[in-house]
């Protein structure tokens, strides 16, 4: 009897740990930058990219052809309403355009990019 209870307890613990991992979500969206944009002072050339945000780690990434162009930390801020579609926010003009955040369609959260600590990988 004790052995059965131990097994049931182990199954419940494994199930609880698995459900926590399942709640973490990586959001992705394809985006076209019409001009060069900086992500924490790393220049992302104009063109088609995929942006992703991992809820669990707080990592925001810009990818081209499934290769990371730039990766940085970001934080989540709650919105008052859900976004109707994907939104990109930037500041500055011309060569000084800085990507400051994105919002995924249907989400009630804004992804705000941190202003320091970007890492770059891949070939330029």
């Amino acid at each position: 009897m004790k052995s059965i209870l131990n097994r049931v307890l182990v199954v419940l613990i494994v199930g609880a740990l698995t459900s926590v991992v399942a709640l973490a979500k990586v959001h992705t969206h394809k985006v076209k930058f019409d001009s060069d944009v900086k992500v924490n002072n790393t220049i992302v050339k104009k063109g088609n990219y995929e942006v992703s945000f991992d809820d669990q780690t707080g990592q925001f990434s810009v990818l081209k052809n499934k290769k990371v162009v730039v990766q940085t930390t970001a934080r989540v801020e709650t919105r008052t309403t859900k976004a109707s579609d994907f939104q990109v926010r930037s500041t500055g003009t011309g060569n000084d355009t800085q990507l400051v955040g994105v919002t995924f369609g249907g989400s009630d959260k804004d992804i705000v990019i941190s202003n320091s600590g970007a890492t770059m990988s891949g070939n330029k």
Side-chain angles (χ1 to χ4, degrees):
M1 185 70 164
K2 200 175 206 182
S3 174
I4 293 173
L5 287 175
N6 284 340
R7 288 182 183 174
V8 169
L9 183 62
V10 168
V11 168
L12 289 174
I13 290 172
V14 169
L17 292 174
T18 305
S19 66
V20 169
V21 172
L23 292 177
K25 192 170 185 182
V26 176
H27 304 276
T28 59
H29 189 80
K30 292 183 181 183
V31 63
K32 180 179 181 181
F33 294 119
D34 293 328
S35 60
D36 294 352
V37 65
K38 291 180 183 177
V39 178
N40 285 342
N41 296 321
T42 299
I43 297 175
V44 177
K45 299 285 187 187
K46 70 179 181 178
N48 295 314
Y49 293 88
E50 183 174 79
V51 295
S52 69
F53 178 71
D54 187 329
D55 284 344
Q56 188 174 23
T57 63
Q59 289 295 309
F60 177 83
S61 303
V62 178
L63 301 101
K64 182 156 187 123
N65 299 324
K66 299 188 180 185
K67 293 184 182 179
V68 176
V69 175
V70 64
Q71 187 173 29
T72 188
T73 57
R75 69 180 187 282
V76 176
E77 291 183 356
T78 303
R79 297 170 50 96
T80 55
T81 60
K82 287 189 175 185
S84 59
D85 57 2
F86 181 77
Q87 300 171 2
V88 176
R89 289 179 305 288
S90 61
T91 60
T93 58
N95 292 338
D96 291 325
T97 303
Q98 179 84 22
L99 185 66
V100 294
V102 299
T103 303
F104 293 93
S107 175
D108 63 348
K109 299 189 180 354
D110 288 331
I111 310 304
V112 180
I113 298 170
S114 301
N115 289 324
S116 64
T119 57
M120 181 180 67
S121 64
N123 297 331
K124 279 199 145 189

